[in-house]
Every structure is written in C-alpha cells, then in structure tokens.
Amino acid sequence: MELRQVFELTDSQNSYILGGGSNVLLPRYLDLTVLKMEIDDLELVDQTKSSVLIKVGSGVNWHSFVLYCLDQGWGGLENLSLIPGTVGASPIQNIGAYGLEVAQFVDSVVYFSYADQRESVIHARECKFSYRSSVFKNELANQGVITHVYFRLPKMGHYDLNLSYGSLQSEIDRKELQNIDAKMISQIVCDIRRSKLPEPSKLGNAGSFFKNPIINEVQLEELQKTYPEIVYYPVSSGKVKIPAAWLIDRCGWKGRRRGAVGSYNKQALVIVNYGGASSEDVRQWAAEIQGDVFDNFGVFLEPEVNILDEKGRKIDLKSL
Ligand code: EPU
C-alpha cells in the first residue's frame, strides 16, 4: 500500500513506526497503531570509477545490506557489520561502531512528511548528524517517516580502510593477519561483537543502554586524580568522550543480576532481560546505574535506547 494511503487510514499522531525494534524499550501494552517498515528495494542510481550512489529501502535489514555491498565490491560500511536493525533507522541515531559513523556515507534521506503528505529529499548536511543523533531524533521526531536512504559508497581499492579503533587493530595484530581487506574487517568486527555483545534474539537487550558521556577537560583532570587509568577520546576542543561501560564497570554492575534483569557479564553497558523482565524492571535497574555513576563520578549518563510509554512517546528513566 502507498504510504499516503496508509496515513489516510491511520492517525499519524497515534501511530509508531517500527524499524527492527532493536533500540527500543517497549511498555507491556501500546495504545496506538504500530506500522512496521517493510520497504525493501535497492537501486544502483549512479556510479563513477571510484564510487557508487545507491538508494535503499528503509525496511532492508542493516547487516544483510552491509554484506550485500561487500559482495558487490562496495566498501566503507564494513566497520558497521552486525549492527541490529534496519537501513531506515540507521541515520536516525547515526549508528556507529569501531571508529565509524554511518553519517560518513549517507548522501541523503527520503522523508515522507505527515504534514505535507509527500516525500522530500533531505541532504546529509541538513541531517545535523552528531554522536548517536540527528535532526530525525530532534526537530523532525514524529513528524514523518524515512522511506529510503541514499548512500555514496567507495568502490574497493579506492579508499583507506578504517582501522582507527584500538580493539580492531589489536585483534588484527593478535591474529597476525596480513593483506587486510574490507571483507576481513567485516569478519573481525562480527567476531568482536559476538564475543562481547549478546545476540538480541537469544538474550533480550538493546545494545548500549547509555551514550558515552561527553565531559570537559577540567572534569577529566579531576577524575584522573583518582583514576589515572581512565580511558578517554578527544571529541572537540576542551571536550572528551569517556566510556560509560568503564564508569558502570567501576561501580561494580558488570555481571550483576536481580531476578530477570541484569548487566551483561562481558559488557557493562548492556542491560539484559533474562526473560520476563518488564519495562519498569529495566528502567528501575538503569535508573539505579545512572544514580550510582552520578554519585561516584559526578557524571550523568543519558540513555541511548528509546524508552517509550503506552502512547509511543519518549520518556526518561525517572518516569517510573
Ligand atoms: N570497558 C569497561 N568495562 C566493560 C566494557 C568496556 O571498562 O565492561 C571499557 C574498556 O576500557 C573499553 C571501553 O570501555 O576500552 C570502550 O568499550 P567498547 O570498545 O566495548 O565500546 P563502548 O564505548 O562501550 C561503543 C558503542 C557501541 C559500539 C562499540 C564499538 C556507544 C554508546 N556504544 O561502545 O555501540 O559497538 O563502541 O565501537 O557509543 C550501541 O550503540 O548499541 C553499541 C553497541
């Protein structure tokens, strides 16, 4: 059915668009219409000697898309292998892993606006991409739906592989791998992810529950007095990003469990549902972690996961 027809039948303000569902914490009941994005076409729009421009439907599974591109000889996305979810969701939170964010390869986004009831193309520079955020999470939240994403990808042999992330390079060194190519990076990323992150279909989780906090250098120096070993990455002048996992781990949450909810034993930033935990249980657990980290380090952890109420509105941890 055409999107326009869908919204003639459905009240857009009383509906929720679901991608893969891997980054949401849902309440037991949803008092609205859930629309599942299934647009699954992929079109090669243009190519040069060194790159391709492709238009991809929002409902395409992200990881299958990455593998398809690698098989075609199109690179760039290998560091983002095995991220759960769909193509259409990828620009919303500007998915990122192993030194790369999807923003780097998004050319533009096709957006169906509820108000105008028509599609328009939003260029990457208007998407306001930043760490795990974009215009779609802010000004355009609940204003419409992404139907397609255009990606500009380099052909293999026409770009430098991104090996900037420490654990990626150390894995390559450990395995003494030679002549690294994009497919090998994809495989290494899959191996690292499988060893550290629980598979959502086997053990309920939504990946990193919190964003890595960005603090100023004065705060960092203060923390370094007590914790000289603290890991940090410069992000802009005077600002650094520190791993939320490290803060949570130091507070003793890794591997801890209460009933059906717990913190994963191999990655402290992931909250897991062992089966039967409610949204309230998970939020309660997360709020305790947030409070503990704040009490110990004076650093506020902002959830990365979208926490929804029965009306599909985003809520924060404190709304228990
Ligand atoms: N660390 C700990 N304890 C832990 C885990 C990690 O102390 O239990 C410390 C280590 O020092 C490590 C550092 O935290 O060097 C960073 O850990 P890791 O490399 O596992 O990455 P992360 O910062 O925890 C981020 C993303 C992940 C992404 C990985 C790899 C966010 C919020 N998370 O995690 O994204 O896969 O980097 O690039 O930015 C997601 O968004 O759902 C997600 C899984």
Side-chain angles (χ1 to χ4, degrees):
M1 197 191 285
E2 288 287 320
L3 257 185
R4 208 170 287 113
Q5 291 172 286
V6 170
F7 287 107
E8 274 165 20
L9 298 170
T10 319
D11 171 12
S12 61
Q13 295 313 309
N14 200 28
S15 61
Y16 184 79
I17 315 276
L18 196 63
S22 48
N23 203 44
V24 284
L25 179 61
L26 297 169
R28 193 168 298 274
Y29 301 105
L30 274 173
D31 183 16
L32 44 71
T33 307
V34 175
L35 299 169
K36 174 85 173 69
M37 181 50 76
E38 295 282 350
I39 301 174
D40 65 355
D41 50 340
L42 191 152
E43 185 192 340
L44 175 60
V45 179
D46 183 31
Q47 62 178 317
T48 66
K49 200 167 132 282
S50 57
S51 73
V52 290
L53 180 67
I54 45 178
K55 181 182 182 186
V56 193
S58 272
V60 173
N61 172 271
W62 175 263
H63 181 58
S64 313
F65 166 59
V66 173
L67 295 183
Y68 176 83
C69 292
L70 292 173
D71 275 341
Q72 301 301 308
W74 309 332
L77 300 176
E78 52 276 5
N79 297 43
L80 305 182
S81 297
L82 215 61
I83 293 186
T86 56
V87 164
S90 67
I92 300 179
Q93 60 150 341
N94 184 17
I95 57 170
Y98 304 100
L100 191 92
E101 288 182 346
V102 75
Q104 200 177 320
F105 293 104
V106 172
D107 173 89
S108 48
V109 168
V110 184
Y111 188 78
F112 177 89
S113 152
Y114 297 145
D116 313 344
Q117 291 288 295
R118 62 179 189 86
E119 282 183 351
S120 60
V121 175
I122 302 180
H123 195 272
R125 59 178 171 267
E126 295 155 343
C127 291
K128 300 189 184 167
F129 289 122
S130 61
Y131 170 59
R132 291 296 194 278
S133 190
S134 72
V135 72
F136 308 107
K137 254 186 130 171
N138 297 292
E139 296 96 305
L140 291 182
N142 306 319
Q143 303 297 307
V145 45
I146 293 174
T147 61
H148 291 87
V149 182
Y150 283 91
F151 295 91
R152 169 71 67 182
L153 299 179
K155 290 184 181 172
M156 283 177 192
H158 290 272
Y159 70 107
D160 293 327
L161 300 171
N162 183 339
L163 300 174
S164 61
Y165 202 78
S167 62
L168 201 52
Q169 186 62 55
S170 36
E171 194 61 10
I172 291 169
D173 296 343
R174 196 180 65 81
K175 291 186 171 162
E176 295 181 18
L177 298 171
Q178 308 282 329
N179 304 321
I180 308 295
D181 63 22
K183 281 193 173 179
M184 284 164 84
I185 295 196
S186 171
Q187 190 54 53
I188 299 165
V189 167
C190 289
D191 291 346
I192 302 177
R193 289 188 74 96
R194 287 197 179 102
S195 72
K196 282 193 182 172
L197 299 167
E199 207 183 302
S201 61
K202 299 205 174 107
L203 185 59
N205 77 91
S208 301
F209 197 91
F210 297 98
K211 289 186 196 176
N212 285 332
I214 294 171
I215 62 172
N216 62 46
E217 277 171 356
V218 179
Q219 250 179 310
L220 176 69
E221 280 164 24
E222 206 47 51
L223 285 171
Q224 281 173 321
K225 285 183 192 155
T226 323
Y227 308 95
E229 75 284 14
I230 190 166
V231 190
Y232 64 92
Y233 319 92
V235 284
S236 57
S237 81
K239 301 259 183 209
V240 295
K241 190 155 79 180
I242 55 173
W246 186 89
L247 299 168
I248 298 168
D249 200 350
R250 289 305 163 284
C251 291
W253 288 86
K254 192 168 172 174
R256 201 184 276 178
R257 175 176 177 172
R258 184 172 63 217
V261 65
S263 295
Y264 195 52
N265 60 0
K266 294 182 198 143
Q267 226 300 4
L269 190 49
V270 179
I271 297 182
V272 287
N273 184 345
Y274 291 99
S278 66
S279 171
E280 285 79 9
D281 296 337
V282 176
R283 276 150 57 200
Q284 177 65 43
W285 186 263
E288 287 176 33
I289 294 176
Q290 194 184 48
D292 207 12
V293 167
F294 190 78
D295 291 346
N296 281 288
F297 298 101
V299 175
F300 180 74
L301 295 184
E302 192 191 328
E304 195 265 341
V305 171
N306 293 313
I307 308 168
L308 303 184
D309 71 5
E310 294 190 354
K311 285 283 172 200
R313 288 174 298 230
K314 263 186 85 167
I315 51 172
D316 65 30
L317 283 182
K318 298 284 178 266
S319 341
L320 286 167

